[in-house]
């Protein structure tokens, strides 16, 4: 799905959440969005039931390789595929621990950054970096590069 080509992209995101909630038989509030930025279509796990693929996104101020953010001197970088999967949150009592630093990025409807669609969490690939380094650089995801 090309998110930037929709008249109301927020409605599509809500519809994906509703679809996942119905499939998992839980309320909407119980679901958390998990995203992955994928370089090739062969890396997409088509067996997952609540997986939605978005194309045509641009990353402004950084680049993403193998689902991790890196600093970049380029203005825009293509995100070939962004997958959204709605899941139940992981318990704090769970044995799974993540040492990866995550950065919360905004997804804007266009290059003017006037319409915030949602925010996503992405792994930071740079060593010794904080999420504030990416914020200072103005890193964001654009659904459409049109202004």
């Amino acid at each position: 799905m090309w998110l930037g080509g929709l008249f109301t992209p927020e409605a599509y995101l809500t519809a994906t959440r509703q679809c996942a909630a119905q499939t998992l038989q839980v309320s909407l509030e119980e679901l958390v969005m998990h995203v992955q930025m994928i370089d090739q279509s062969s890396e997409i796990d088509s067996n997952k039931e609540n997986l939605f693929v978005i194309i045509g996104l641009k990353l402004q101020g950084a680049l993403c390789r193998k689902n991790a953010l890196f600093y970049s001197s380029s203005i825009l970088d293509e995100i070939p595929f962004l997958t959204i999967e709605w899941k139940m949150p992981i318990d704090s009592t769970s044995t799974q621990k993540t040492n990866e630093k995550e950065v919360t990025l905004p997804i804007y409807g266009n290059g003017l950054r006037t319409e915030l669609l949602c925010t996503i969490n992405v792994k930071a690939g740079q060593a010794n970096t904080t999420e504030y380094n990416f914020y200072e650089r103005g890193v964001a995801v654009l659904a459409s590069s049109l202004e």
Side-chain angles (χ1 to χ4, degrees), residues 59-105:
L59 186 58
Q60 192 172 39
L63 62 89
C64 187
R65 297 294 177 260
K66 298 186 181 183
N67 198 37
L69 280 181
F70 296 93
Y71 299 137
S72 172
S73 59
S74 66
I75 296 172
L76 285 177
D77 186 55
E78 294 267 339
I79 301 173
F81 303 97
L82 180 99
T83 61
I84 295 175
E85 185 176 11
W86 294 96
K87 297 180 179 180
M88 299 289 289
I90 297 173
D91 292 351
S92 58
T93 59
S94 174
T95 57
Q96 181 181 6
K97 293 182 182 177
T98 58
N99 294 330
E100 303 166 343
K101 292 183 181 182
E102 285 193 339
V103 178
T104 302
L105 293 181

Short mmCIF file of all heavy atoms in Angstrom, two decimals, residues 59-105:
data_model
loop_
_atom_site.label_atom_id
_atom_site.label_comp_id
_atom_site.label_asym_id
_atom_site.label_seq_id
_atom_site.Cartn_x
_atom_site.Cartn_y
_atom_site.Cartn_z
N LEU A 59 12.85 8.50 3.95
CA LEU A 59 13.47 8.81 5.23
C LEU A 59 14.28 10.08 5.04
O LEU A 59 15.17 10.15 4.18
CB LEU A 59 14.36 7.66 5.68
CG LEU A 59 14.98 7.74 7.05
CD1 LEU A 59 13.92 7.86 8.14
CD2 LEU A 59 15.82 6.51 7.32
N GLN A 60 13.98 11.10 5.81
CA GLN A 60 14.63 12.39 5.66
C GLN A 60 15.66 12.58 6.77
O GLN A 60 15.33 12.49 7.95
CB GLN A 60 13.59 13.51 5.72
CG GLN A 60 14.09 14.85 5.30
CD GLN A 60 12.97 15.87 5.21
OE1 GLN A 60 12.06 15.88 6.03
NE2 GLN A 60 13.04 16.72 4.20
N GLY A 61 16.93 12.81 6.40
CA GLY A 61 17.97 13.09 7.36
C GLY A 61 18.74 11.89 7.87
O GLY A 61 19.62 12.03 8.70
N ALA A 62 18.44 10.72 7.39
CA ALA A 62 19.13 9.49 7.82
C ALA A 62 18.93 8.44 6.75
O ALA A 62 18.24 8.66 5.76
CB ALA A 62 18.60 9.00 9.17
N LEU A 63 19.55 7.29 6.96
CA LEU A 63 19.28 6.15 6.08
C LEU A 63 19.05 4.92 6.94
O LEU A 63 19.46 4.87 8.09
CB LEU A 63 20.39 5.94 5.05
CG LEU A 63 21.79 5.61 5.51
CD1 LEU A 63 21.99 4.12 5.66
CD2 LEU A 63 22.77 6.14 4.47
N CYS A 64 18.36 3.97 6.37
CA CYS A 64 18.03 2.75 7.10
C CYS A 64 18.52 1.55 6.31
O CYS A 64 18.19 1.40 5.13
CB CYS A 64 16.53 2.66 7.32
SG CYS A 64 16.07 1.29 8.40
N ARG A 65 19.30 0.72 6.96
CA ARG A 65 19.79 -0.51 6.36
C ARG A 65 19.61 -1.63 7.37
O ARG A 65 19.97 -1.48 8.54
CB ARG A 65 21.27 -0.42 5.97
CG ARG A 65 21.57 0.62 4.92
CD ARG A 65 20.93 0.28 3.57
NE ARG A 65 21.17 1.30 2.59
CZ ARG A 65 20.29 2.24 2.24
NH1 ARG A 65 19.11 2.30 2.83
NH2 ARG A 65 20.57 3.12 1.32
N LYS A 66 19.03 -2.72 6.92
CA LYS A 66 18.80 -3.89 7.77
C LYS A 66 18.06 -3.51 9.06
O LYS A 66 18.44 -3.89 10.15
CB LYS A 66 20.09 -4.62 8.07
CG LYS A 66 20.74 -5.15 6.81
CD LYS A 66 21.93 -5.99 7.09
CE LYS A 66 22.50 -6.44 5.74
NZ LYS A 66 23.61 -7.31 5.85
N ASN A 67 17.01 -2.70 8.90
CA ASN A 67 16.12 -2.30 9.98
C ASN A 67 16.82 -1.50 11.07
O ASN A 67 16.45 -1.56 12.24
CB ASN A 67 15.39 -3.51 10.58
CG ASN A 67 14.17 -3.10 11.36
OD1 ASN A 67 13.47 -2.16 10.99
ND2 ASN A 67 13.91 -3.78 12.44
N ALA A 68 17.84 -0.73 10.73
CA ALA A 68 18.53 0.11 11.71
C ALA A 68 18.82 1.47 11.08
O ALA A 68 19.14 1.58 9.90
CB ALA A 68 19.82 -0.55 12.16
N LEU A 69 18.70 2.53 11.89
CA LEU A 69 18.95 3.90 11.45
C LEU A 69 20.43 4.25 11.53
O LEU A 69 21.10 3.90 12.50
CB LEU A 69 18.21 4.89 12.34
CG LEU A 69 16.74 5.11 12.09
CD1 LEU A 69 16.20 6.13 13.07
CD2 LEU A 69 16.47 5.54 10.68
N PHE A 70 20.90 4.97 10.52
CA PHE A 70 22.27 5.46 10.48
C PHE A 70 22.25 6.92 10.03
O PHE A 70 21.39 7.32 9.26
CB PHE A 70 23.12 4.64 9.50
CG PHE A 70 23.28 3.20 9.91
CD1 PHE A 70 22.41 2.24 9.43
CD2 PHE A 70 24.30 2.82 10.77
CE1 PHE A 70 22.55 0.91 9.81
CE2 PHE A 70 24.44 1.50 11.15
CZ PHE A 70 23.57 0.55 10.67
N TYR A 71 23.24 7.69 10.49
CA TYR A 71 23.39 9.06 10.03
C TYR A 71 23.68 9.05 8.54
O TYR A 71 24.30 8.13 8.02
CB TYR A 71 24.52 9.78 10.75
CG TYR A 71 24.34 9.89 12.24
CD1 TYR A 71 25.40 9.66 13.09
CD2 TYR A 71 23.12 10.24 12.79
CE1 TYR A 71 25.26 9.77 14.46
CE2 TYR A 71 22.96 10.35 14.16
CZ TYR A 71 24.04 10.11 14.99
OH TYR A 71 23.88 10.21 16.33
N SER A 72 23.27 10.11 7.86
CA SER A 72 23.51 10.21 6.43
C SER A 72 23.64 11.67 6.04
O SER A 72 23.00 12.54 6.63
CB SER A 72 22.36 9.57 5.66
OG SER A 72 22.49 9.80 4.28
N SER A 73 24.44 11.93 5.03
CA SER A 73 24.54 13.29 4.51
C SER A 73 23.52 13.54 3.40
O SER A 73 23.34 14.67 2.97
CB SER A 73 25.96 13.55 3.99
OG SER A 73 26.26 12.63 2.97
N SER A 74 22.85 12.48 2.95
CA SER A 74 21.84 12.66 1.91
C SER A 74 20.56 13.24 2.53
O SER A 74 20.27 13.04 3.70
CB SER A 74 21.54 11.34 1.21
OG SER A 74 20.94 10.44 2.11
N ILE A 75 19.81 13.95 1.72
CA ILE A 75 18.59 14.58 2.21
C ILE A 75 17.46 13.56 2.35
O ILE A 75 16.80 13.49 3.38
CB ILE A 75 18.17 15.73 1.27
CG1 ILE A 75 19.24 16.82 1.30
CG2 ILE A 75 16.82 16.30 1.68
CD1 ILE A 75 19.06 17.91 0.28
N LEU A 76 17.25 12.76 1.32
CA LEU A 76 16.18 11.76 1.34
C LEU A 76 16.74 10.39 0.99
O LEU A 76 17.60 10.27 0.13
CB LEU A 76 15.08 12.10 0.32
CG LEU A 76 14.11 13.22 0.66
CD1 LEU A 76 13.15 13.44 -0.49
CD2 LEU A 76 13.34 12.93 1.91
N ASP A 77 16.21 9.38 1.64
CA ASP A 77 16.57 8.00 1.35
C ASP A 77 15.28 7.19 1.23
O ASP A 77 14.36 7.39 2.02
CB ASP A 77 17.45 7.43 2.47
CG ASP A 77 17.98 6.05 2.14
OD1 ASP A 77 18.62 5.89 1.08
OD2 ASP A 77 17.75 5.12 2.94
N GLU A 78 15.23 6.32 0.24
CA GLU A 78 14.05 5.47 0.05
C GLU A 78 13.96 4.41 1.15
O GLU A 78 14.97 3.85 1.55
CB GLU A 78 14.15 4.74 -1.30
CG GLU A 78 14.08 5.63 -2.49
CD GLU A 78 12.65 5.77 -3.02
OE1 GLU A 78 11.81 4.91 -2.72
OE2 GLU A 78 12.42 6.76 -3.72
N ILE A 79 12.76 4.15 1.60
CA ILE A 79 12.49 2.99 2.45
C ILE A 79 11.73 2.03 1.54
O ILE A 79 10.55 2.24 1.26
CB ILE A 79 11.63 3.35 3.68
CG1 ILE A 79 12.32 4.41 4.52
CG2 ILE A 79 11.34 2.11 4.50
CD1 ILE A 79 11.48 4.94 5.65
N PRO A 80 12.40 0.99 1.03
CA PRO A 80 11.73 0.11 0.07
C PRO A 80 10.42 -0.48 0.61
O PRO A 80 9.40 -0.43 -0.07
CB PRO A 80 12.77 -0.97 -0.21
CG PRO A 80 14.08 -0.32 0.10
CD PRO A 80 13.79 0.62 1.23
N PHE A 81 10.48 -1.03 1.81
CA PHE A 81 9.29 -1.64 2.41
C PHE A 81 9.28 -1.35 3.91
O PHE A 81 10.29 -1.53 4.57
CB PHE A 81 9.28 -3.15 2.21
CG PHE A 81 9.34 -3.57 0.77
CD1 PHE A 81 10.56 -3.92 0.19
CD2 PHE A 81 8.21 -3.60 -0.02
CE1 PHE A 81 10.64 -4.30 -1.13
CE2 PHE A 81 8.28 -3.98 -1.35
CZ PHE A 81 9.50 -4.33 -1.91
N LEU A 82 8.14 -0.94 4.41
CA LEU A 82 7.94 -0.79 5.85
C LEU A 82 6.80 -1.73 6.21
O LEU A 82 5.71 -1.62 5.66
CB LEU A 82 7.57 0.64 6.23
CG LEU A 82 7.36 0.83 7.72
CD1 LEU A 82 8.61 1.42 8.35
CD2 LEU A 82 6.17 1.70 8.02
N THR A 83 7.09 -2.67 7.09
CA THR A 83 6.03 -3.60 7.51
C THR A 83 5.50 -3.17 8.86
O THR A 83 6.25 -2.78 9.74
CB THR A 83 6.53 -5.06 7.58
OG1 THR A 83 7.57 -5.15 8.55
CG2 THR A 83 7.03 -5.54 6.24
N ILE A 84 4.20 -3.24 8.99
CA ILE A 84 3.51 -2.96 10.25
C ILE A 84 2.89 -4.26 10.73
O ILE A 84 2.18 -4.93 9.98
CB ILE A 84 2.41 -1.91 10.06
CG1 ILE A 84 3.00 -0.57 9.66
CG2 ILE A 84 1.57 -1.77 11.33
CD1 ILE A 84 1.95 0.48 9.34
N GLU A 85 3.16 -4.57 11.97
CA GLU A 85 2.53 -5.74 12.59
C GLU A 85 2.00 -5.30 13.95
O GLU A 85 2.72 -4.71 14.75
CB GLU A 85 3.55 -6.87 12.77
CG GLU A 85 2.93 -8.13 13.29
CD GLU A 85 3.91 -9.29 13.37
OE1 GLU A 85 5.13 -9.06 13.21
OE2 GLU A 85 3.46 -10.41 13.60
N TRP A 86 0.73 -5.56 14.18
CA TRP A 86 0.10 -5.22 15.45
C TRP A 86 0.18 -6.43 16.36
O TRP A 86 -0.24 -7.51 16.00
CB TRP A 86 -1.35 -4.82 15.24
CG TRP A 86 -1.49 -3.54 14.47
CD1 TRP A 86 -1.70 -3.40 13.13
CD2 TRP A 86 -1.39 -2.23 15.01
NE1 TRP A 86 -1.74 -2.07 12.79
CE2 TRP A 86 -1.56 -1.33 13.93
CE3 TRP A 86 -1.18 -1.71 16.28
CZ2 TRP A 86 -1.53 0.05 14.09
CZ3 TRP A 86 -1.16 -0.33 16.44
CH2 TRP A 86 -1.33 0.53 15.36
N LYS A 87 0.75 -6.23 17.56
CA LYS A 87 0.96 -7.33 18.49
C LYS A 87 0.50 -6.93 19.88
O LYS A 87 0.37 -5.75 20.20
CB LYS A 87 2.44 -7.69 18.60
CG LYS A 87 3.08 -8.20 17.35
CD LYS A 87 4.54 -8.51 17.64
CE LYS A 87 5.28 -9.05 16.45
NZ LYS A 87 6.68 -9.33 16.77
N MET A 88 0.34 -7.93 20.72
CA MET A 88 0.11 -7.69 22.13
C MET A 88 1.44 -7.25 22.73
O MET A 88 2.49 -7.74 22.33
CB MET A 88 -0.37 -8.97 22.82
CG MET A 88 -1.67 -9.51 22.28
SD MET A 88 -3.07 -8.50 22.71
CE MET A 88 -3.18 -8.84 24.45
N PRO A 89 1.44 -6.30 23.68
CA PRO A 89 2.71 -5.86 24.27
C PRO A 89 3.38 -6.97 25.05
O PRO A 89 2.72 -7.85 25.60
CB PRO A 89 2.31 -4.71 25.18
CG PRO A 89 0.85 -4.82 25.36
CD PRO A 89 0.30 -5.62 24.23
N ILE A 90 4.72 -6.92 25.08
CA ILE A 90 5.49 -7.92 25.81
C ILE A 90 5.46 -7.55 27.29
O ILE A 90 5.61 -6.39 27.66
CB ILE A 90 6.95 -7.95 25.30
CG1 ILE A 90 6.97 -8.37 23.84
CG2 ILE A 90 7.80 -8.88 26.14
CD1 ILE A 90 8.33 -8.26 23.20
N ASP A 91 5.23 -8.55 28.14
CA ASP A 91 5.20 -8.33 29.59
C ASP A 91 6.54 -7.82 30.08
O ASP A 91 7.58 -8.15 29.54
CB ASP A 91 4.90 -9.64 30.35
CG ASP A 91 3.50 -10.13 30.10
OD1 ASP A 91 2.71 -9.39 29.50
OD2 ASP A 91 3.21 -11.26 30.52
N SER A 92 6.50 -7.07 31.16
CA SER A 92 7.74 -6.65 31.80
C SER A 92 8.38 -7.82 32.52
O SER A 92 9.56 -7.80 32.83
CB SER A 92 7.48 -5.51 32.77
OG SER A 92 6.54 -5.93 33.75
N THR A 93 7.61 -8.89 32.78
CA THR A 93 8.14 -10.07 33.43
C THR A 93 8.75 -11.05 32.44
O THR A 93 9.31 -12.06 32.82
CB THR A 93 7.03 -10.79 34.22
OG1 THR A 93 5.99 -11.16 33.30
CG2 THR A 93 6.48 -9.90 35.31
N SER A 94 8.65 -10.73 31.16
CA SER A 94 9.17 -11.61 30.12
C SER A 94 10.69 -11.71 30.23
O SER A 94 11.36 -10.78 30.62
CB SER A 94 8.77 -11.09 28.74
OG SER A 94 9.38 -11.84 27.74
N THR A 95 11.22 -12.85 29.83
CA THR A 95 12.66 -13.05 29.88
C THR A 95 13.38 -12.41 28.70
O THR A 95 14.59 -12.31 28.70
CB THR A 95 12.99 -14.56 29.90
OG1 THR A 95 12.42 -15.15 28.73
CG2 THR A 95 12.46 -15.22 31.15
N GLN A 96 12.62 -12.00 27.70
CA GLN A 96 13.24 -11.39 26.52
C GLN A 96 13.67 -9.96 26.85
O GLN A 96 12.88 -9.14 27.29
CB GLN A 96 12.23 -11.36 25.36
CG GLN A 96 12.80 -10.78 24.10
CD GLN A 96 11.78 -10.76 22.98
OE1 GLN A 96 10.62 -11.08 23.18
NE2 GLN A 96 12.21 -10.36 21.82
N LYS A 97 14.93 -9.66 26.64
CA LYS A 97 15.47 -8.33 26.89
C LYS A 97 16.03 -7.78 25.59
O LYS A 97 16.60 -8.50 24.80
CB LYS A 97 16.59 -8.39 27.92
CG LYS A 97 16.13 -8.79 29.31
CD LYS A 97 17.28 -8.78 30.27
CE LYS A 97 16.82 -9.22 31.65
NZ LYS A 97 17.93 -9.28 32.60
N THR A 98 15.85 -6.48 25.41
CA THR A 98 16.42 -5.86 24.23
C THR A 98 17.43 -4.81 24.67
O THR A 98 17.12 -3.91 25.43
CB THR A 98 15.33 -5.18 23.37
OG1 THR A 98 14.66 -4.21 24.18
CG2 THR A 98 14.35 -6.18 22.84
N ASN A 99 18.66 -4.97 24.20
CA ASN A 99 19.71 -4.00 24.48
C ASN A 99 19.81 -2.96 23.38
O ASN A 99 20.68 -2.11 23.41
CB ASN A 99 21.05 -4.72 24.66
CG ASN A 99 21.06 -5.61 25.88
OD1 ASN A 99 20.37 -5.32 26.85
ND2 ASN A 99 21.80 -6.69 25.83
N GLU A 100 18.95 -3.06 22.38
CA GLU A 100 19.01 -2.16 21.26
C GLU A 100 18.34 -0.84 21.62
O GLU A 100 17.29 -0.81 22.23
CB GLU A 100 18.28 -2.78 20.06
CG GLU A 100 18.83 -4.13 19.67
CD GLU A 100 17.90 -4.87 18.73
OE1 GLU A 100 16.72 -4.51 18.63
OE2 GLU A 100 18.37 -5.83 18.10
N LYS A 101 18.99 0.25 21.23
CA LYS A 101 18.40 1.56 21.44
C LYS A 101 17.39 1.80 20.33
O LYS A 101 17.65 1.52 19.17
CB LYS A 101 19.49 2.63 21.40
CG LYS A 101 20.44 2.55 22.55
CD LYS A 101 21.43 3.67 22.48
CE LYS A 101 22.41 3.56 23.63
NZ LYS A 101 23.37 4.63 23.64
N GLU A 102 16.24 2.32 20.71
CA GLU A 102 15.22 2.63 19.73
C GLU A 102 15.02 4.13 19.65
O GLU A 102 15.17 4.86 20.63
CB GLU A 102 13.90 1.95 20.08
CG GLU A 102 13.90 0.47 19.80
CD GLU A 102 12.51 -0.12 19.85
OE1 GLU A 102 11.61 0.47 20.47
OE2 GLU A 102 12.32 -1.19 19.27
N VAL A 103 14.67 4.57 18.46
CA VAL A 103 14.39 5.97 18.19
C VAL A 103 12.93 6.06 17.75
O VAL A 103 12.48 5.27 16.92
CB VAL A 103 15.31 6.50 17.06
CG1 VAL A 103 14.99 7.94 16.74
CG2 VAL A 103 16.76 6.32 17.43
N THR A 104 12.21 7.00 18.32
CA THR A 104 10.83 7.23 17.91
C THR A 104 10.84 8.27 16.80
O THR A 104 11.29 9.40 17.00
CB THR A 104 9.98 7.72 19.09
OG1 THR A 104 10.03 6.75 20.13
CG2 THR A 104 8.53 7.92 18.67
N LEU A 105 10.37 7.86 15.61
CA LEU A 105 10.35 8.76 14.45
C LEU A 105 8.92 9.13 14.09
O LEU A 105 8.03 8.26 14.10
CB LEU A 105 10.98 8.09 13.24
CG LEU A 105 12.46 7.78 13.28
CD1 LEU A 105 12.89 7.13 11.97
CD2 LEU A 105 13.27 9.03 13.53
#
